[in-house]
Amino acid sequence: QVQLVESGGGLVQAGGSLRLSCAASGRTFSSYDMGWFRQAPGKEREFVAGISWNGGRTDYADSVKGRFTISRGNAKNTVYLQMISLKPEDTAVYYCAATKLASRLRADFEYDYWGQGTQVTVSS
């Protein structure tokens, strides 16, 4: 069982930056692939970024490539999402997710555990 708690969301102006954190419980965090997803009002949940258990594999949605960076600190049981050059269309609730082994990091059905989400609002 893994429990995930996101933090770091907030209100920021377009062009600004935020860093989201996802703290995971459990001693086996380092064996989990991790992902970030987001859901805007009235829209379906979409993949943002993913990282494999050892950090050797990452994947990004085209809409965030070059602006967002996913990383993990296994010693701290935490995965991060650094977001720069934020746009109003990045406004959403951001969710952290975990799974033992994802054949495709961007597939939400691969993930077994989800956090409660953190709101990111980008004003124009």
Side-chain angles (χ1 to χ4, degrees):
Q1 190 80 4
V2 175
Q3 292 185 326
L4 305 171
V5 179
E6 302 96 334
S7 62
L11 174 64
V12 63
Q13 289 188 331
S17 302
L18 282 174
R19 188 176 82 155
L20 304 184
S21 299
C22 173
S25 65
R27 294 174 291 178
T28 59
F29 170 78
S30 60
S31 65
Y32 282 82
D33 292 341
M34 303 295 295
W36 285 99
F37 293 78
R38 67 186 181 187
Q39 187 167 21
K43 294 188 177 181
E44 292 187 354
R45 184 171 60 195
E46 65 175 357
F47 169 76
V48 176
I51 188 166
S52 61
W53 64 276
N54 63 352
R57 182 167 55 112
T58 58
D59 191 15
Y60 295 92
D62 288 345
S63 59
V64 307
K65 203 169 291 184
R67 299 188 298 121
F68 290 11
T69 303
I70 189 170
S71 62
R72 65 188 299 156
N74 284 346
K76 294 184 177 181
N77 280 15
T78 304
V79 63
Y80 305 97
L81 186 68
Q82 179 67 52
M83 307 184 293
I84 66 171
S85 302
L86 283 161
K87 305 175 181 179
E89 51 263 45
D90 294 319
T91 295
V93 177
Y94 283 70
Y95 298 93
C96 173
T99 185
K100 266 292 188 178
L101 184 62
S103 58
R104 291 195 306 157
L105 290 169
R106 60 178 54 216
D108 61 356
F109 60 81
E110 297 257 20
Y111 292 85
D112 301 309
Y113 304 101
W114 293 82
Q116 83 291 345
T118 185
Q119 176 70 48
V120 172
T121 303
V122 185
S123 63
S124 57

